[in-house]
Amino acid sequence: MTFKEETIKSEMVYKGRVLNLRRDEVMTVSGRPSVREIVEHGGGVALVAVTDEGKIIMERQFRKPLERDVLEIPAGKLEPGEDPFEAAGRELAEETGYRAANIEYLTRYYPSVGYCQEALYMYLCTGLTKGETNPDEDEAIDIYEYSFEELCGMIDRGELEDGKSIAALFAASLRIAKKEK
């Protein structure tokens, strides 16, 4: 049986545009209090968008925390109260210009459960139709298409490092393999 830590005291340390930082004092299994720093985030969506030719739409954009550009699947944060399914279609169109005839829920993913409660809802997008991009004004995104095999090779060589992309590609590959049986 697992032990549930009870919160003794909770304090909001920082409230931001994208995330909040909370400091909780908890009672641990040892009977001693300890501190947990928790990042609150509204969650987001991550999309494996597959063209009719079997190519996966990828984005390359600069990511300030790493001080370099990163290759990743299309993704974005949820607006307050927004349904993840609706956000999936919105983010795909905004960032890539594509619209999907089929948007299929894959799974929910928690990127780092040790300190963050962010949830990413992952979707498989097919039946794509190309349109115009409409990224947020502070986004500069380059769009690429890769085969699944190319992306697997990039993961193997350490060239594709984004966790949500790796997890979503894995989940999509399982779903696609199941459909092909």
Side-chain angles (χ1 to χ4, degrees):
M1 176 181 215
T2 60
F3 176 82
K4 181 180 178 190
E5 296 179 344
E6 295 297 327
T7 303
I8 300 166
K9 182 170 91 174
S10 187
E11 166 192 13
M12 187 61 64
V13 177
Y14 172 79
K15 278 183 106 50
R17 224 174 32 89
V18 175
L19 57 85
N20 301 327
L21 176 60
R22 190 178 81 227
R23 183 180 182 278
D24 287 357
E25 187 175 330
V26 300
M27 186 58 65
T28 66
V29 68
S30 70
R32 294 189 193 125
S34 188
V35 172
R36 303 289 184 250
E37 294 172 341
I38 300 166
V39 174
E40 298 177 343
H41 186 282
V45 294
L47 317 166
V48 178
V50 184
T51 68
D52 291 343
E53 297 76 33
K55 298 286 188 170
I56 297 168
I57 306 300
M58 299 294 289
E59 302 177 345
R60 184 172 292 280
Q61 62 182 313
F62 181 80
R63 293 301 195 175
K64 185 64 178 168
L66 301 181
E67 290 292 345
R68 63 182 167 88
D69 59 330
V70 175
L71 185 68
E72 55 193 295
I73 60 174
K77 61 184 190 332
L78 292 168
E79 300 298 331
E82 185 177 27
D83 177 76
F85 179 83
E86 298 298 322
R90 176 183 56 75
E91 283 293 339
L92 182 66
E94 284 178 6
E95 293 190 355
T96 70
Y98 284 96
R99 300 207 186 285
N102 309 302
I103 300 176
E104 182 180 346
Y105 175 77
L106 291 170
T107 191
R108 182 176 60 200
Y109 163 73
Y110 294 99
S112 192
V113 296
Y115 65 87
C116 186
Q117 49 69 277
E118 175 188 20
L120 290 177
Y121 297 85
M122 298 183 167
Y123 293 89
L124 176 62
C125 302
T126 57
L128 303 183
T129 305
K130 183 70 173 131
E132 293 295 317
T133 62
N134 185 24
D136 294 339
E137 69 178 35
D138 62 349
E139 290 180 314
I141 300 171
D142 293 325
I143 306 297
Y144 299 90
E145 295 181 9
Y146 293 94
S147 69
F148 182 72
E149 293 74 23
E150 288 173 309
L151 292 171
C152 286
M154 295 168 94
I155 293 168
D156 189 45
R157 292 186 301 275
E159 297 167 7
L160 179 55
E161 304 169 286
D162 176 57
K164 73 180 172 307
S165 297
I166 295 168
L169 288 165
F170 177 71
S173 72
L174 293 176
R175 181 67 50 88
I176 291 167
K178 188 185 283 186
K179 287 179 181 181
E180 292 174 351
K181 282 187 175 182

